[in-house]
């Protein structure tokens, strides 16, 4: 993993691979933000097991930008995992834009359709 210096404008450092301080471990699911240097971010979802039958798991990556009205989600990618699809999975990517006041977070939820509520890890630059 490479960690480039933050710019004088306060932009978060660029990372290749796992983004530090972005993890959430919750029972049998963990989510993490991953990145490809200063170009993209995605969520890594690890689904170990589930004691309740048949409910799909969803994973999500969010890109948020700080503007006039506070933090607003500008990009989001989700993945739906059918019950029993245990293991490691990844969402599609969202952009990382240099010199933006932005942050990212990885989330998960359960449900047959796209969830309206999510459990999310810490937001990171």
């Amino acid at each position: 993993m490479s960690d480039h210096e933050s710019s004088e404008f306060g932009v978060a450092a660029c990372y290749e691979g796992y983004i530090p301080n972005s993890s959430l471990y919750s029972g049998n699911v963990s989510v993490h933000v991953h990145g490809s240097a200063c170009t993209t971010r995605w969520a890594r979802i690890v689904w170990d097991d589930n004691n309740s039958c048949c409910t799909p798991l969803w994973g999500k990556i969010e890109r948020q930008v700080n503007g006039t009205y506070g933090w607003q989600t500008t990009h989001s990618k989700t993945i739906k995992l059918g019950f029993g699809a245990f293991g490691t999975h990844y969402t599609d990517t969202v952009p990382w834009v240099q010199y933006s006041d932005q942050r990212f977070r990885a989330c998960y939820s359960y449900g047959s359709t796209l969830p309206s509520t999510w459990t999310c890890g810490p937001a990171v630059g």
Side-chain angles (χ1 to χ4, degrees):
M1 171 181 4
S2 62
D3 177 1
H4 305 286
E5 292 297 318
S6 297
S7 77
E8 62 186 278
F9 300 103
V11 176
C14 301
Y15 289 94
E16 183 74 32
Y18 164 76
I19 309 296
N21 304 314
S22 69
S23 297
L24 170 69
Y25 300 92
S26 182
N28 298 317
V29 176
S30 62
V31 293
H32 321 272
V33 177
H34 278 245
S36 177
C38 286
T39 57
T40 59
R41 298 286 186 260
W42 63 90
R44 176 179 182 256
I45 300 98
V46 180
W47 193 7
D48 293 330
D49 195 0
N50 191 331
N51 295 328
S52 61
C53 177
C54 310
T55 304
L57 174 73
W58 292 76
K60 176 171 70 167
I61 182 75
E62 284 185 346
R63 176 182 184 261
Q64 299 177 332
V65 174
N66 195 9
T68 304
Y69 300 103
W71 290 101
Q72 300 292 314
T73 300
T74 60
H75 297 81
S76 176
K77 297 290 183 175
T78 59
I79 185 172
K80 181 181 181 181
L81 307 172
F83 179 79
F86 306 123
T88 302
H89 304 275
Y90 303 92
T91 64
D92 287 338
T93 62
V94 295
W96 184 99
V97 180
Q98 192 169 16
Y99 306 120
S100 290
D101 190 2
Q102 64 189 344
R103 67 185 188 185
F104 302 85
R105 64 184 188 168
C107 309
Y108 78 94
S109 189
Y110 293 97
S112 298
T113 60
L114 185 64
S116 59
T117 59
W118 296 83
T119 301
C120 297
V124 294

